[in-house]
Amino acid sequence: MKTHNKTLRRNLLAVAVTGTLVLAGAGQAHAYVMAGGVLNMTNFMISGSGGQLDASDFSVLTFVGTADVNGSLTGSGGGAFAIDDSTTQTGVPIDIGAQCVGNGCLGLGLTENTFPKLTAPPTTGNYAAGDQFESGSPITGLPGFGNDPANIANASYVGVDIGSADASSNSNNNLNTSFIFSLAQDDGLTFSFDLDAFLQVAVSSNEVFPAFATAAYSLSFSITDLSNGGGTIWNFTPDVFGDGTNTLSLNAPLPMNIELIRDTGGPISFSSTTAPLLAGNLYQASFRMTIETDAGRAVVPEPASLALFGLGLLGLGATMTATRRRSI
């Protein structure tokens, strides 16, 4: 009789443990946080009254552009990348290769200079990725740049669905290091371009606090008058999506899988013209185009799982007590 009770007790213990684990795992789905952003500018030109400006239209012209792509992933699949580059008027446009860190990079499959608009759900694994590209020039006649209008693109992507991790990535294109010029004659300058833009964030319903996802862009142009104290005399900050949005953000917990997207759906034309700039005055033009993405999650036992596990333990206790009494 005692042998039978011992066997029954082992079987009941196995059933109770198995039942607890199955119930605790029931209904679990792919949990994730992700964010992405793309700015793809084409046909960027700086023009005067006579059309696109040429290097010969300036009595003084010094030009330095910079770009960088960097990202980090802490936690599961962690790592980092950081690449900075610069070019001068005697160099060539910057093209930093696509970068990715994390155990989700293979599934992400980011290809050089493709700048995809990624949507949920993300690939399996954790990743932080970015890419950057430049070609041409907003003015003609710069050695090494050719005479085509400038094309400039940035992209950043992050996704986390394994373990506890934080991911961040950003991609920058800058002309604000030094684009110093003096015109040969008075003229107003027109900055014009086409822009395809995309921001995306997604958080699944089974993520818990403090899981989050954020994507943001910045795009700005300015001119300062170096001959008169360095004051800003012109600013242009395009409202890319037409509704004032420059940041998307989600924070867990959420009642359902939620994905927010802003997408121009293709190139949109923008332009802005300065007041007349005086010949012989020294000016500095600055341009900055940035995409930043961040996402993170922490693995926290879900309340339902904890409750079911507790019920399982109570069941184990009751089973052990009952069998012990019968064996006496």
Side-chain angles (χ1 to χ4, degrees):
M1 185 66 179
K2 289 185 178 180
T3 301
H4 173 74
N5 285 339
K6 288 181 180 178
T7 302
L8 176 62
R9 181 169 57 194
R10 284 196 296 268
N11 290 340
L12 288 173
L13 285 172
V15 170
V17 172
T18 303
T20 300
L21 294 178
V22 170
L23 286 172
Q28 295 300 302
H30 185 194
Y32 58 81
V33 292
M34 70 176 295
V38 177
L39 290 178
N40 195 343
M41 179 184 292
T42 54
N43 300 314
F44 174 32
M45 296 189 294
I46 304 175
S47 305
S49 55
Q52 185 178 9
L53 291 177
D54 184 80
S56 61
D57 294 317
F58 300 86
S59 58
V60 175
L61 178 61
T62 62
F63 168 78
V64 176
T66 66
D68 63 85
V69 176
N70 60 76
S72 65
L73 177 63
T74 58
S76 180
F81 61 83
I83 297 179
D84 299 283
D85 204 350
S86 64
T87 188
T88 68
Q89 62 207 48
T90 57
V92 294
I94 303 170
D95 182 9
I96 298 175
Q99 307 293 315
C100 187
V101 62
N103 49 27
C105 290
L106 183 61
L108 183 66
L110 184 62
T111 305
E112 172 80 356
N113 295 336
T114 55
F115 307 103
K117 298 177 178 180
L118 302 179
T119 56
T123 183
T124 300
N126 303 340
Y127 61 86
D131 197 6
Q132 176 276 340
F133 172 76
E134 293 177 9
S135 69
S137 172
I139 64 175
T140 60
L142 288 179
F145 285 82
N147 292 323
D148 293 328
N151 298 317
I152 305 170
N154 293 352
S156 294
Y157 311 96
V158 292
V160 180
D161 71 349
I162 295 178
S164 299
D166 290 292
S168 65
S169 176
N170 62 69
S171 178
N172 303 309
N173 277 284
N174 307 303
L175 293 180
N176 59 350
T177 302
S178 181
F179 182 26
I180 298 173
F181 66 94
S182 182
L183 292 170
Q185 61 182 13
D186 295 357
D187 206 351
L189 303 185
T190 297
F191 290 67
S192 62
F193 55 90
D194 301 322
L195 186 68
D196 186 9
F198 174 80
L199 290 180
Q200 178 266 358
V201 294
V203 175
S204 65
S205 61
N206 45 1
E207 286 291 353
V208 297
F209 179 84
F212 72 97
T214 301
Y217 83 88
S218 64
L219 178 62
S220 63
F221 304 79
S222 65
I223 293 179
T224 57
D225 186 349
L226 301 181
S227 295
N228 291 287
T232 300
I233 59 172
W234 174 78
N235 253 316
F236 180 38
T237 305
D239 182 5
V240 172
F241 298 110
D243 61 1
T245 298
N246 58 20
T247 302
L248 295 179
S249 185
L250 285 172
N251 294 276
L254 296 171
M256 64 188 73
N257 295 350
I258 294 182
E259 181 175 34
L260 304 179
I261 293 176
R262 291 291 186 277
D263 189 352
T264 57
I268 296 178
S269 296
F270 295 89
S271 68
S272 180
T273 302
T274 72
L277 305 181
L278 302 178
N281 274 19
L282 199 62
Y283 300 97
Q284 178 168 338
S286 298
F287 160 70
R288 183 174 180 84
M289 187 166 90
T290 302
I291 284 284
E292 298 182 5
T293 54
D294 294 280
R297 71 191 297 258
V299 177
V300 179
E302 297 185 7
S305 299
L306 291 174
L308 288 169
F309 186 73
L311 289 173
L313 291 179
L314 288 174
L316 287 177
T319 300
M320 293 175 67
T321 300
T323 55
R324 186 180 299 113
R325 286 174 178 171
R326 282 195 293 268
S327 65
I328 296 174

